[in-house]
Each structure stands twice: as C-alpha cells, then as structure tokens.
Amino acid sequence: MSKESAKVILWEENQKDFLKKFYDLQFIPRVGEEVYLKKEKWKVTKVEHDVEINEINVYMELIKKAKQDKSSNS
C-alpha cells in the first residue's frame, strides 16, 4: 500500500512568493506553532489543504526579534 505524499508549500503571510517547498515532510506545522526556517523564527498563521491536487499551503509570519540590533544605534 503506497501513500502519495502531499506537496507542502510554506508562504510568507501576505506575500505572493513562497519561502520553501517540501515533498516529503514528516509532519505539518499547526496554526500557532513556531518554525525555524532560513535562520529566522516564523509563526504559522494559517494552513490550507487542497485535497484535489494533494497540496498543503502553510502561511507564516516572521517573529520580530525582542532584542534590538546593535547596528541600529541612533
């Protein structure tokens, strides 16, 4: 019995371009979970599953860093 894996696409919230595509993810992040991607922390805001084409769209927003950048001294 073979199960075809869904294509998972990670999107930046309110952006037209995707961040990353996966074809063999072991798990799907849930809304509210934090994901570490491209050396930054993201929070999942929305998950949509398109059953017809076996695709999962995960929308995320960048978590703003609490620390101030040392380069932004006024």
Side-chain angles (χ1 to χ4, degrees):
M1 190 164 102
S2 65
K3 180 183 174 190
E4 184 180 328
S5 59
K7 177 170 53 172
V8 179
I9 305 174
L10 304 180
W11 297 88
E12 184 175 357
E13 190 69 44
N14 300 324
Q15 298 295 321
K16 294 179 182 172
D17 201 13
F18 65 92
L19 295 165
K20 191 105 173 139
K21 286 185 186 179
F22 294 96
Y23 294 91
D24 57 356
L25 267 187
Q26 300 271 328
F27 66 94
I28 307 302
R30 297 179 185 157
V31 173
E33 279 189 319
E34 292 182 4
V35 177
Y36 189 74
L37 179 69
K38 296 186 175 183
K39 298 183 180 180
E40 296 180 304
K41 285 177 97 174
W42 300 81
K43 184 174 183 180
V44 177
T45 57
K46 182 171 57 172
V47 177
E48 296 176 343
H49 188 183
D50 189 335
V51 181
E52 291 180 7
I53 58 174
N54 204 20
E55 182 176 278
I56 299 170
N57 294 299
V58 178
Y59 297 90
M60 305 184 302
E61 64 183 7
L62 186 61
I63 296 174
K64 304 294 181 201
K65 293 184 174 133
K67 297 179 182 176
Q68 290 183 335
D69 288 337
K70 292 179 182 176
S71 62
S72 65
N73 290 340
S74 301

